[in-house]
Amino acid sequence: MSPYPEPAVVWHRSDDPSRPLVVLLHGRGADERSMLGLAPLLPTGPSYAAVRAPLTEGAGYAWFANRGIGRPVADSLAKTMAWFRAWLDEVAPAPRPVILVGFSGGAAFAGGLLLHEPRRFAGAAILYGTLPFDVGVPITAARLAGVPVFLAQGETDTVIPRDLLDRTWTYLLGESGAPTYARRDPGGHSLPRDTVAELAGWISERLDFLTRRTPPAAGPTTWATLTGATLPDRAGDRPTVSWTIPQEQRSDNSPPELHEQLFTRVAALPAVTTGPSAISVPGARGFMVERHPNAPLDAFLVPRVGEFAHLHPGYDGSVHLALPPALAADAIARGWASAHPLAGIRLARGMVMIYGPRTRAELDVVTGIVTASHAFATGTLT
């Protein structure tokens, strides 16, 4: 039995269980009404619920006991997350899509819920806050693969410790595997209207994607296109990747000769045609095939032209491609890939950037990864 009372919830208009649900989570020392003003600025399609945290904090409320700003007490966070999930399971049983929007302390709470049970949520906005590190929720490689995140931070925020903001930024934009759309805003610990407007567009596009695209079928979990059907770990640290769009590899780039050999190998795959990419930067070369009847839309970056992958120009050398979700997550977890910020928003769920090969051994591995993307698009992946 929960030690906390039933949640105090304020709905923007009334709830419609047939619609997706967006849950608004306030900051420490505030209450549910402090977030309700966001709802009229967000898309009209979903239901909106602003929930009051269960712990008293000054004149307001908090989601967990603190051991320092942005550092939850593990047992306290675990109890309040269980309390919240019991409420959520009543008002929004699966498969009703749920998006969390948390500000400051509410961002840490949203992050804890997301990390604890990633598949439960259609996405989350982490606004001017930190993830809850070192409290027992899993923060592992590819933990959030396939779960879009909207991340906003203030460049001069002095409320949340900078080391926690930086750690959150680095994890979400890299190892987490989340397709993370990120903003760094001038100013401190407040939510600008420009950010709210961009959040509104992100929520709208995410929910529209879920309406247009059927959930993915269970795909392969092993690499039929690689020796031993296993992807090895990539050596060394991940390269620097831009957090803005276009997504580009900024360091540890592929030597020109390996870059060209990769193009030649992929262009030689069955039924592949090449040409300028229909979606990427000038100079990017696209790989196209005729769409197989068994291939889902998520097998393509640009379904109308059959573009399943493209190779960035030599100054970058990376490859963008579409993979089945389990293989995309594995490529991220083993250090070969970063999720694209708009995967599952405008683009295929399993769209990732594969880092350019640095050695001939890596050329073989990257070729195998791209060959899996080709097999996905041609209906031959087993």
Side-chain angles (χ1 to χ4, degrees):
M1 186 173 180
S2 173
Y4 308 119
E6 286 292 312
V9 181
V10 179
W11 295 88
H12 177 63
R13 303 191 182 96
S14 57
D15 184 29
D16 181 346
S18 68
R19 296 183 175 192
L21 174 63
V22 176
V23 184
L24 306 173
L25 304 169
H26 63 78
R28 191 174 195 85
D31 64 21
E32 68 280 13
R33 294 191 179 276
S34 69
M35 289 293 283
L36 195 61
L38 266 185
L41 305 176
L42 299 178
T44 57
S47 293
Y48 291 91
V51 182
R52 179 190 299 171
L55 305 179
T56 301
E57 177 75 18
Y61 301 89
W63 295 103
F64 44 79
N66 254 359
R67 53 192 171 86
I69 295 175
R71 294 177 168 88
V73 174
D75 182 63
S76 176
L77 179 63
K79 287 177 180 177
T80 54
M81 288 198 306
W83 165 85
F84 178 89
R85 290 196 307 273
W87 168 80
L88 186 66
D89 288 343
E90 285 189 14
V91 300
R96 185 181 183 185
V98 176
I99 292 177
L100 302 172
V101 176
F103 175 78
S104 192
F109 189 65
L113 292 163
L114 188 68
L115 288 162
H116 178 79
E117 198 174 5
R119 302 295 161 254
R120 179 68 177 87
F121 301 101
I126 308 298
L127 308 176
Y128 288 76
T130 176
L131 294 177
F133 296 105
D134 308 317
V135 290
V137 291
I139 301 180
T140 51
R143 177 68 180 172
L144 302 181
V147 186
V149 170
F150 184 98
L151 173 64
Q153 295 185 354
E155 291 179 340
T156 58
D157 191 336
T158 57
V159 174
I160 306 297
R162 177 50 54 182
D163 65 310
L164 294 179
L165 291 173
D166 290 346
R167 189 176 176 187
T168 296
W169 184 274
T170 299
Y171 176 70
L172 285 177
L173 284 160
E175 192 178 23
S176 79
T180 301
Y181 187 86
R183 283 182 61 100
R184 274 191 169 143
D185 298 319
H189 196 71
S190 61
L191 194 55
R193 277 191 168 267
D194 285 352
T195 299
V196 174
E198 205 154 83
L199 172 63
W202 180 86
I203 291 172
S204 179
E205 290 194 87
R206 173 58 176 160
L207 295 179
D208 180 62
F209 183 95
L210 293 176
T211 300
R212 290 185 292 105
R213 302 264 180 123
T214 57
T221 58
T222 57
W223 296 87
T225 56
L226 290 169
T227 302
T230 302
L231 182 65
D233 291 337
R234 181 179 180 272
D237 296 331
R238 295 176 185 271
T240 302
V241 174
S242 65
W243 56 271
T244 53
I245 297 170
Q247 186 188 43
E248 297 179 332
Q249 183 176 338
R250 298 278 177 82
S251 68
D252 213 12
N253 304 95
S254 184
E257 63 274 14
L258 296 183
H259 177 258
E260 288 306 313
Q261 287 180 40
L262 177 61
F263 174 81
T264 299
R265 289 186 181 190
V266 178
L269 292 173
V272 167
T273 58
T274 64
S277 169
I279 195 174
S280 191
V281 296
R285 291 174 283 182
F287 302 107
M288 283 73 77
V289 293
E290 185 175 344
R291 182 184 170 194
H292 189 276
N294 294 336
L297 287 176
D298 274 350
F300 296 91
L301 309 186
V302 190
R304 64 181 172 80
V305 298
E307 184 174 330
F308 66 92
H310 56 246
L311 181 64
H312 276 200
Y315 61 82
D316 172 337
S318 64
V319 187
H320 275 128
L321 49 74
L323 288 168
L327 296 188
D330 193 46
I332 293 166
R334 296 188 180 277
W336 292 94
S338 292
H340 191 279
L342 295 178
I345 302 292
R346 297 178 196 165
L347 304 168
R349 288 177 176 89
M351 182 174 176
V352 292
M353 167 192 277
I354 303 297
Y355 311 134
R358 301 166 295 181
T359 66
R360 294 196 178 278
E362 287 191 358
L363 175 63
D364 291 339
V365 173
V366 173
T367 301
I369 294 172
V370 184
T371 302
S373 177
H374 170 265
F376 189 30
T378 56
T380 60
L381 189 62
T382 58

